[in-house]
Amino acid sequence: MTSPDISDMLDKSKELDRLRKEQEEVLMEINKMHKKLQSAPDVVEKPGDNSLSKLKLLYTQAKELSESEVSISTHLLGQLDALIPSGPPGQQRRRIEGNEPKKKRMKADSDVTRLSPNMRNQQEFFANMKGEQVAARVIQEDGDKDEWFIVKVTNFDKDTKMFEVLDEEPGDDEEGGGQRKYKLPWSHIIPFPKRNEPSNTPDFPPGRQVLAVYPGTTALYKATVVQSRKRKTDDYILEFDDDEEDGSLPRRSVPFHRVVALPDGHRQ
């Protein structure tokens, strides 16, 4: 494990600690509001009272803090999985059955199934993702490569910690066509930023490497931020790796809700 890895993990751990302390403070305020409303429920009927608005704001803050905690925990999980050596010889590795990869999809590193900290929060967060589109990492049958692309969550099993997802894009003719289904561990899933919550999405500065949906496809590739967002709703301007045209990398516009942090240990 290198010093930069350790330093970044310590920073992320400190951020987790800060988020949990903020959650405790928000929870205390929520409990105070509950006691106030229980002792004087008619207060909300008085002109100018904003108790319910305050309570809604507190719940919104609690939700955002919880989602941030899940995001950082997942980030730390990716770092650990990239640094911890594989299991003992002969250990069976979980593989995902599937057909040939789509065009313009990427390689990544080995399969991982370990769980992240704060399991309860993650389980609740993931259980509420049914019907959402997410970035998913799928390992091919030969085991020497995997890809990132958009899938739709159809179910999350809290007991097995596995997602059931649907690749909604029909396969090529040689693949037999039709939509494909996969079962993936939660460490292979990255939620996309909420399109209707641009202010809550991370800001990636110029020079930062990210994982982004290549325009016109459902596949995600490694890219570098050329121009960050001036407004929260703006697109990112990116240069994708291995996207050279006429000796240079074209700059491509990608919506902010289709850009996520580059997983640690990623290899293309």
Side-chain angles (χ1 to χ4, degrees), residues 87-119:
Q91 180 179 358
Q92 183 66 33
R93 295 173 65 90
R94 185 186 302 272
R95 292 184 180 178
I96 306 300
E97 294 185 0
N99 296 312
E100 290 298 317
K102 297 178 183 178
K103 295 179 180 179
K104 288 195 73 68
R105 285 190 175 164
M106 66 192 302
K107 297 179 181 180
D109 49 355
S110 59
D111 185 15
V112 289
T113 56
R114 302 180 184 87
L115 302 180
S116 62
N118 209 340
M119 188 182 301

Side-chain angles (χ1 to χ4, degrees), residues 1 4-17 19-20 68-84 114-118 122 187 262-265:
M1 186 181 297
D5 293 324
I6 297 174
S7 177
D8 185 60
M9 291 175 69
L10 289 175
D11 289 340
K12 292 292 189 299
S13 297
K14 291 178 182 178
E15 181 67 9
L16 271 182
D17 186 56
L19 288 170
R20 288 166 183 165
S68 296
E69 183 179 5
V70 170
S71 176
I72 293 175
S73 296
T74 304
H75 180 86
L76 282 168
L77 172 65
Q79 287 181 303
L80 289 171
D81 285 328
L83 294 169
I84 295 175
R114 302 180 184 87
L115 302 180
S116 62
N118 209 340
Q122 283 196 331
S187 56
L262 184 72
D264 289 280

Side-chain angles (χ1 to χ4, degrees), residues 2 113 117 141 183 208 215 233:
T2 63
T113 56
E141 289 181 346
K183 286 188 177 182
R208 176 69 60 84
T233 55

Side-chain angles (χ1 to χ4, degrees), residues 4-253:
D5 293 324
I6 297 174
S7 177
D8 185 60
M9 291 175 69
L10 289 175
D11 289 340
K12 292 292 189 299
S13 297
K14 291 178 182 178
E15 181 67 9
L16 271 182
D17 186 56
R18 182 189 66 80
L19 288 170
R20 288 166 183 165
K21 289 179 180 178
E22 287 190 25
Q23 288 182 45
E24 291 176 359
E25 293 173 358
V26 171
L27 182 59
M28 289 178 60
E29 292 300 318
I30 289 175
N31 289 334
K32 289 179 182 178
M33 290 297 300
H34 283 174
K35 291 179 180 178
K36 174 184 176 181
L37 294 175
Q38 287 174 350
S39 61
D42 58 337
V43 71
V44 298
E45 300 178 0
K46 295 181 180 180
D49 181 77
N50 60 352
S51 299
L52 294 182
S53 297
K54 287 183 178 179
L55 189 59
K56 180 180 178 181
L57 177 61
L58 288 169
Y59 273 117
T60 300
Q61 290 176 337
K63 176 177 177 291
E64 292 173 354
L65 288 169
S66 178
E67 291 177 349
S68 296
E69 183 179 5
V70 170
S71 176
I72 293 175
S73 296
T74 304
H75 180 86
L76 282 168
L77 172 65
Q79 287 181 303
L80 289 171
D81 285 328
L83 294 169
I84 295 175
S86 303
Q91 180 179 358
Q92 183 66 33
R93 295 173 65 90
R94 185 186 302 272
R95 292 184 180 178
I96 306 300
E97 294 185 0
N99 296 312
E100 290 298 317
K102 297 178 183 178
K103 295 179 180 179
K104 288 195 73 68
R105 285 190 175 164
M106 66 192 302
K107 297 179 181 180
D109 49 355
S110 59
D111 185 15
V112 289
T113 56
R114 302 180 184 87
L115 302 180
S116 62
N118 209 340
M119 188 182 301
R120 178 177 296 179
N121 279 356
Q122 283 196 331
Q123 284 185 332
E124 293 302 320
F125 178 76
F126 288 141
N128 291 328
M129 288 172 57
K130 184 176 180 179
E132 293 188 16
Q133 287 188 331
V134 297
R137 175 175 153 211
V138 176
I139 298 175
Q140 299 305 310
E141 289 181 346
D142 54 17
D144 66 352
K145 65 179 179 179
D146 48 355
E147 349 172 77
W148 284 93
F149 53 92
I150 300 174
V151 297
K152 181 179 180 180
V153 176
T154 58
N155 189 49
F156 175 70
D157 190 320
K158 291 184 178 181
D159 294 328
T160 63
K161 315 297 186 298
M162 297 291 286
F163 278 97
E164 295 178 12
V165 300
L166 175 67
D167 181 2
E168 298 180 281
E169 180 178 305
D172 297 333
D173 292 339
E174 63 269 19
E175 296 175 347
Q179 298 176 333
R180 295 189 291 274
K181 298 179 180 179
Y182 302 96
K183 286 188 177 182
L184 304 173
W186 61 10
S187 56
H188 284 213
I189 299 294
I190 300 179
F192 283 118
K194 301 289 186 182
R195 185 188 308 210
N196 58 350
E197 298 179 9
S199 61
N200 295 330
T201 62
D203 284 314
F204 300 114
R208 176 69 60 84
Q209 291 185 322
V210 295
L211 198 62
V213 177
Y214 189 88
T217 76
T218 60
L220 289 92
Y221 297 93
K222 182 180 178 182
T224 302
V225 177
V226 177
Q227 180 179 313
S228 57
R229 299 181 294 165
K230 294 181 179 179
R231 298 175 300 175
K232 293 293 186 179
T233 55
D234 287 346
D235 293 352
Y236 280 102
I237 304 300
L238 308 176
E239 289 181 347
F240 285 88
D241 288 16
D242 302 322
D243 189 31
E244 186 172 325
E245 291 183 0
D246 300 325
S248 62
L249 293 176
R251 296 184 174 185
R252 303 191 186 277
S253 177

